[in-house]
Amino acid sequence: MANDETVVVIVEDDPNISDLVELYLRRDGFRPYQAETGERALEVISERNPSLILLDVGLPGELDGLDVCRRVRAESAVPIIFLTARDDEIDRVLGLELGADDYVTKPFSPRELVARVKAILRRVEAPRTQPTAIELGNTVVLDSARREVTVNDSPVALATREFDLLRYLAENRGIALSRRQLLDGVWGDEWIGDDRTVDVHVRQLRKKVGDDLSLTTVWGVGYRLD
Ligand code: CA
């Protein structure tokens, strides 16, 4: 699936880590590029237009990984996997609702990381054969084939997981789904987090898609889309 057109940008100031990750990505047929600061990352990302970004949280210089994510997200829904060093960084990644698609905690296995990269890209690029557009409320339309959500015909920039979560809720309209069901259905085996993840993504969906999305919190259970 990976070919030499599949560009991955590795943003990481520790050359031991970035060189190792680059080696593994290259071996699997990706075309990796490195950036060691946030400023450089923004340049490389705009030059190379990557299919996915690996983003260290703690970076030297003016911009840390969270700043970079925020700036990238303002313009693009490219999948982002955070590389986090400590629990408090994970909390910041989740708490700031930046729309990361996943995170891995250091030290990580490069092989496992590449497997995650492939899983996310597979999901993003999978062709959809199902009927594609679903109307949610009067103004919201979710189009699986285009991986696009529109409100009043204007596209909404959703991160990969946010889109997948909304699609899963839409496919199960009218059913109250527990956080655990949502984690299983949307994140599957790739996820090693907790229920907060679901809440964070739901909050993002509500904020981005707006009030016309009839997404109800079912107390003691989880969420239901009507
Ligand atoms: Ca670092």
Side-chain angles (χ1 to χ4, degrees):
M1 171 219 54
N3 56 55
D4 58 8
E5 299 304 309
T6 309
V7 171
V8 175
V9 171
I10 308 161
V11 186
E12 168 62 66
D13 60 306
D14 181 340
N16 294 321
I17 297 176
S18 44
D19 287 350
L20 188 66
V21 171
E22 172 168 343
L23 182 76
Y24 272 78
L25 284 170
R26 208 174 277 292
R27 212 156 64 184
D28 262 73
F30 292 93
R31 199 201 302 176
Y33 292 92
Q34 293 191 23
E36 62 292 335
T37 66
E39 289 80 357
R40 182 73 192 126
L42 293 176
E43 289 171 10
V44 175
I45 289 164
S46 94
E47 278 164 22
R48 301 296 175 185
N49 189 25
S51 297
L52 185 140
I53 301 168
L54 299 171
L55 185 52
D56 183 26
V57 175
L59 294 169
E62 296 284 305
L63 302 173
D64 68 9
L66 305 181
D67 298 321
V68 172
C69 182
R70 209 174 282 118
R71 301 228 185 157
V72 170
R73 271 288 168 268
E75 298 177 0
S76 152
V78 59
I80 295 175
I81 302 179
F82 271 112
L83 311 177
T84 58
R86 302 181 307 273
D87 279 358
D88 62 302
E89 287 185 352
I90 296 169
D91 288 342
R92 287 172 67 208
V93 166
L94 291 176
L96 286 174
E97 305 179 1
L98 290 168
D101 294 285
D102 210 343
Y103 65 80
V104 298
T105 309
K106 297 175 189 174
F108 52 80
S109 135
R111 188 172 292 125
E112 165 70 10
L113 178 64
V114 171
R116 296 252 199 132
V117 166
K118 286 182 179 173
I120 287 182
L121 289 176
R122 224 174 6 247
R123 211 178 49 240
V124 172
E125 290 162 2
R128 305 287 164 194
T129 51
Q130 310 278 331
T132 61
I134 306 176
E135 285 181 30
L136 307 169
N138 295 324
T139 59
V140 184
V141 176
L142 178 146
D143 189 328
S144 292
R146 298 166 61 88
R147 285 193 70 84
E148 184 176 76
V149 172
T150 54
V151 178
N152 281 323
D153 297 327
S154 303
V156 180
L158 295 181
T160 315
R161 293 284 190 200
E162 291 162 5
F163 181 89
D164 290 341
L165 175 61
L166 184 57
R167 185 172 62 198
Y168 191 77
L169 285 160
E171 286 166 352
N172 294 282
R173 279 192 301 277
I175 302 171
L177 297 166
S178 71
R179 291 174 177 79
R180 184 53 52 183
Q181 284 173 315
L182 291 167
L183 280 174
D184 286 344
V186 178
W187 282 265
D189 297 336
E190 293 159 38
W191 190 249
I192 35 162
D194 60 34
D195 295 356
R196 279 180 309 176
T197 309
V198 175
D199 297 333
V200 165
H201 282 75
V202 164
R203 225 163 27 234
Q204 279 297 86
L205 277 181
R206 283 179 170 149
K207 194 153 73 187
K208 289 183 177 176
V209 181
D211 293 338
D212 206 37
L213 189 68
S214 156
L215 178 52
T216 308
T217 304
V218 185
W219 296 108
V221 182
Y223 298 97
R224 186 186 68 231
L225 186 68
D226 293 310

